[in-house]
Amino acid sequence: MNQFTQRSQKVLNNALAVAKKLGSNVVGTEHLLAGLVLEEQGVAAQVLRALNFDARGFLHQLEGTASVGSIFGQNIEYSPRTKQALALAKEVAGELHVEYIATEHILLGILRENEGYGAETLKNAGITEENILALLNGEAPSSPVNSFGGGSAPSAKGKTSTPELDKCGRDLTAMAKNGDL
């Protein structure tokens, strides 16, 4: 897990916790998506908010899939689709020429996996790889999911803890505070 950022590691831990809470013996792509949503400070969660993804509705719906019974004592593993999504996240990171796997890479990996519950949920919400990449590049999505307004690239008001993100994205939190989303 040394390629995963701290936030991405939190996402994986969140996904495991959600799977356990729901009584699942595998971590599916839906749990991975829940892990992204729950890591509210991650870039992926910010992108999902900018695209008006109904995180609360998704989590509520996911709770409805809870299994009856206990899984304590059982090993919980990643499903084949989750493994594929994480492999695709690594591929995305490589395509973006970074040596780490961040939350946004996991989000794109879920979409690229294309068949799991996580990907289906995103597709049903109208979220595409193109929308996400447009936001990460500081552009409006090509096929808007919502009435997404304009905005500007992050200002260089000093050093931040996310210099790579500052190079290729927008500060969605600042834009939201300014009413630019």
Side-chain angles (χ1 to χ4, degrees):
M1 268 209 293
N2 60 352
Q3 287 184 306
F4 289 90
T5 64
Q6 282 186 323
R7 288 204 197 280
S8 292
Q9 289 177 26
K10 286 181 185 177
V11 165
L12 298 176
N13 289 333
N14 290 345
L16 179 64
V18 168
K20 282 182 178 179
K21 179 182 175 185
L22 298 177
S24 178
N25 61 354
V26 295
V27 177
T29 58
E30 65 275 20
H31 304 122
L32 201 53
L33 180 56
L36 288 169
V37 167
L38 293 170
E39 183 51 40
E40 294 179 349
Q41 298 304 311
V43 172
Q46 293 175 26
V47 166
L48 289 170
R49 280 193 300 273
L51 293 172
N52 287 335
F53 179 71
D54 182 9
R56 286 185 185 206
F58 165 68
L59 292 173
H60 181 71
Q61 180 182 8
L62 189 58
E63 286 176 1
T65 67
S67 300
V68 178
S70 173
I71 57 162
F72 293 109
Q74 295 181 1
N75 288 333
I76 297 180
E77 299 179 3
Y78 291 123
S79 72
R81 288 193 172 132
T82 297
K83 289 178 184 177
Q84 179 66 19
L86 293 173
L88 290 166
K90 182 177 180 179
E91 186 178 290
V92 168
E95 289 171 9
L96 297 174
H97 309 290
V98 294
E99 296 180 13
Y100 53 85
I101 300 169
T103 63
E104 60 272 26
H105 305 138
I106 295 173
L107 179 61
L108 289 164
I110 292 170
L111 270 171
R112 284 188 181 183
E113 183 277 326
N114 200 37
E115 294 180 11
Y117 183 25
E120 287 298 319
T121 299
L122 293 170
K123 288 188 289 186
N124 289 340
I127 296 173
T128 66
E129 184 173 347
E130 292 76 23
N131 295 113
I132 294 168
L133 290 173
L135 281 173
L136 292 174
N137 289 322
E139 304 164 5
S142 59
S143 54
V145 176
N146 56 40
S147 56
F148 190 70
S152 58
S155 61
K157 291 185 180 178
K159 293 184 179 184
T160 69
S161 62
T162 56
E164 290 297 320
L165 179 60
D166 295 342
K167 289 179 191 174
C168 65
R170 292 195 241 178
D171 184 346
L172 298 175
T173 304
M175 289 174 62
K177 286 179 184 176
N178 295 331
D180 292 332
L181 289 180

